[in-house]
């Protein structure tokens, strides 16, 4: 038998890209590839790219430049670009970087084996279509090899919301939900391979409406179906839109024990004027009401969010509305960005606000968010949490895992294995993690 060919994948951006990269590696496994950890030994290098914010594409071109020596050392090396930059730039990539052999958009990954064969035969391969079929159904099942205790599982893709700043509706396409039975099959398979926590992924995951045995299932229905999978201990989902937080999903946070008390619910801005300009279709007030209802269902829930500062026409008063909303919500975790104009989006043509002003706002917002995050971490000291241990810590005998609130927790853990869930008392709060002692 000939030696397997070696595949190196570099993943940028969101968790969905992490999931897609895993599935691409498995798919190319069928074409004789095994994954390797460094590009220098690879027969194929795939960059799985992100287009969400500025300079993402430029970063890819400079990364491709860094790949040149590998190509020079090994003329048979194949180089591919996948993900949202591939979707957005398509042929432009091949024009600008002739050493690229393959360009594949996120909805065409099931065509990779055929594309690989073409490339192997010395041709170029490009596919940025939005086909009708479920690409995952046409990608080989994950092999039975065991794996770590946590996994991502994409259940929904694309977005119909068209926020004025966002490329997702263009790069990932219209909203599509995978059918319930396929998700359950994949979840059971993951559990058989050692997975105990699954994070359901979708750009608009709470708009999920996949076909089930008795008509469409909502995300709440899907969570309850997964609740019955033996051996699956924890369920999470991300990312949600405030308008799609329906009553059943909110209630599930209080009633479903496997559903973890953590919710990522981006608001982007606290100013109604800016929310309107962003085409967000919710107000600060309606967002706060959703938060209130979630907290009523699950008082200890840890909230996380996304923010954009410096959106066109944002004034200091608008920014203060965002600060006020943050003070009211109290986030345990957050991601904040300076607005970056994305070609092809409705906001791209609008004049930017003063950039030094925008930088200053971002700093002030991040200071407030960090303060809240630190306070919430400190409030965990003395509390008992449940930790799913994932890997050994830096110090001999230590293990690191995640609490139900998604805090990283490390503890001396003699006899604890990857995948064990233990009760832990938190004794210290460090910058990005908590220290605990095992209670059992
Ligand atoms: N500029 C800045 N941030 C953006 N995001 C999406 N598009 C842009 C943009 N053009 C942020 C939003 C979104 C997160 C994934 O990225 O906050 O929720
Ligand atoms: Fe982008 Fe999210 Fe808005 Fe959809 S809901 S357009 S993914 S920011």
């Amino acid at each position: 038998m000939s030696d397997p060919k070696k595949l190196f994948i570099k993943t940028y951006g969101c968790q969905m890209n992490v999931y897609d990269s895993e599935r691409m590696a498995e798919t190319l496994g069928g074409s004789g590839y095994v994954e390797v950890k460094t590009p220098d030994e690879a027969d194929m290098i795939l960059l799985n790219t992100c287009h969400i914010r500025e300079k993402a594409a430029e970063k890819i071109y400079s990364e491709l430049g860094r790949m040149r020596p590998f190509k020079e050392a090994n003329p048979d090396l194949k180089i591919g670009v996948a993900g949202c930059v591939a979707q957005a730039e398509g042929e432009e990539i091949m024009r600008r970087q002739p050493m690229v052999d393959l360009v594949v958009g996120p909805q065409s990954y099931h065509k990779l084996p055929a594309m690989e064969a073409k490339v192997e035969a010395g041709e170029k391969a490009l596919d940025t279509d939005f086909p009708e079929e479920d690409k995952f159904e046409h990608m080989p099942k994950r092999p039975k090899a065991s794996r770590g205790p946590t996994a991502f599982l994409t259940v929904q893709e694309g977005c119909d919301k068209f926020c004025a700043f966002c490329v997702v509706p263009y790069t990932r396409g219209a909203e599509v939900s995978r059918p319930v039975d396929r998700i359950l099959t994949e979840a059971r398979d993951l559990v058989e391979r050692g997975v105990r926590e699954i994070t359901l992924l979708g750009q608009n995951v709470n708009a999920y409406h996949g076909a089930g045995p008795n008509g469409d299932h909502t995300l709440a229905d899907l969570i309850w179906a997964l609740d019955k999978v033996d051996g699956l201990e924890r369920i999470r989902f991300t990312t949600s839109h405030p308008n799609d937080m329906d009553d059943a999903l909110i209630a599930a946070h209080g009633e479903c024990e496997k559903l973890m008390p953590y919710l990522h619910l981006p608001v982007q801005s606290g100013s109604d004027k800016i929310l309107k300009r962003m085409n967000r279709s919710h107000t600060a007030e309606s967002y706060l009401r959703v938060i209130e209802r979630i907290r009523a269902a699950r008082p200890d829930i840890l909230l996380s969010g996304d923010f954009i500062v410096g959106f066109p026409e944002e004034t200091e008063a608008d920014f203060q509305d965002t600060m006020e909303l943050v003070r009211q919500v109290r986030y345990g975790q957050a991601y904040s960005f300076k607005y970056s104009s994305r070609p092809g989006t409705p906001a791209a043509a609008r004049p930017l606000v003063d950039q030094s002003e925008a930088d200053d706002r971002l700093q002030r917002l991040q200071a407030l968010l960090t303060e809240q995050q630190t306070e919430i971490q400190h409030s965990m000291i003395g509390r008992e949490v449940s930790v799913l241990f994932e890997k050994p810590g830096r110090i001999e005998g230590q293990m690191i895992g995640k609490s139900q609130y998604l805090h990283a927790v490390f503890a001396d853990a003699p006899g604890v294995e990857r995948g064990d869930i233990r009760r832990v008392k938190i004794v210290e709060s460090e910058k990005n993690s908590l220290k605990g002692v095992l209670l059992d």
Side-chain angles (χ1 to χ4, degrees), residues 162-321:
F162 291 93
C163 298
F165 50 82
C166 187
V167 288
V168 165
Y170 313 97
T171 59
R172 290 273 170 175
E175 224 179 83
V176 179
S177 297
R178 298 177 67 197
V180 174
D181 57 347
R182 292 187 200 156
I183 294 166
L184 287 174
T185 305
E186 196 170 324
R188 287 193 200 98
D189 178 62
L190 286 167
V191 168
E192 263 178 49
R193 295 166 57 198
V195 168
R196 308 198 72 190
E197 171 180 304
I198 291 180
T199 301
L200 306 175
L201 298 181
Q203 268 92 25
N204 219 320
V205 71
N206 59 340
Y208 176 84
H209 53 267
N214 310 307
D216 271 11
H217 273 46
T218 63
L219 183 63
D221 298 331
L222 178 65
I223 287 168
W224 282 112
L226 284 161
D227 182 64
K228 296 192 191 69
V229 173
D230 282 339
L232 178 62
E233 304 293 343
R234 291 175 156 197
I235 302 166
R236 304 183 185 276
F237 61 88
T238 197
T239 289
S240 299
H241 191 283
N243 286 5
D244 294 317
M245 289 305 297
D246 62 35
D247 290 343
L249 185 57
I250 291 174
H253 282 89
E255 292 162 5
C256 178
E257 282 187 19
K258 291 186 182 179
L259 185 57
M260 293 292 101
Y262 180 101
L263 180 67
H264 182 62
L265 197 62
V267 66
Q268 314 298 357
S269 168
S271 150
D272 287 345
K273 177 191 99 187
I274 294 299
L275 287 169
K276 202 160 184 186
R277 305 273 198 280
M278 287 177 164
N279 192 31
R280 284 289 293 178
S281 66
H282 63 80
T283 61
E285 188 53 40
S286 70
Y287 178 85
L288 289 170
R289 272 204 306 276
V290 173
I291 298 288
E292 223 170 79
R293 284 160 60 218
I294 293 161
R295 284 210 162 116
R298 182 77 205 223
D300 64 336
I301 197 154
L302 191 139
L303 293 165
S304 153
D306 289 348
F307 301 87
I308 296 177
V309 302
F311 189 76
E313 293 179 70
E314 186 188 72
T315 62
E316 176 63 23
D318 295 317
F319 173 68
Q320 285 306 330
D321 288 345

Side-chain angles (χ1 to χ4, degrees), residues 4 20 31 64-65 91 112 148 199 284 301 310 317 361 386 398 401 409 424:
D20 285 345
S31 309
L64 286 169
E91 286 167 12
L112 269 172
T199 301
I301 197 154
R361 286 177 198 160
S386 112
Q398 266 183 1
V409 177
V424 169

Side-chain angles (χ1 to χ4, degrees), residues 52-53 165-166 266 268 306-308 337-340 342:
I52 196 88
R53 275 174 296 277
F165 50 82
C166 187
Q268 314 298 357
D306 289 348
F307 301 87
I308 296 177
F337 314 98
K338 185 169 83 163
Y339 168 70
S340 90
R342 311 308 294 127

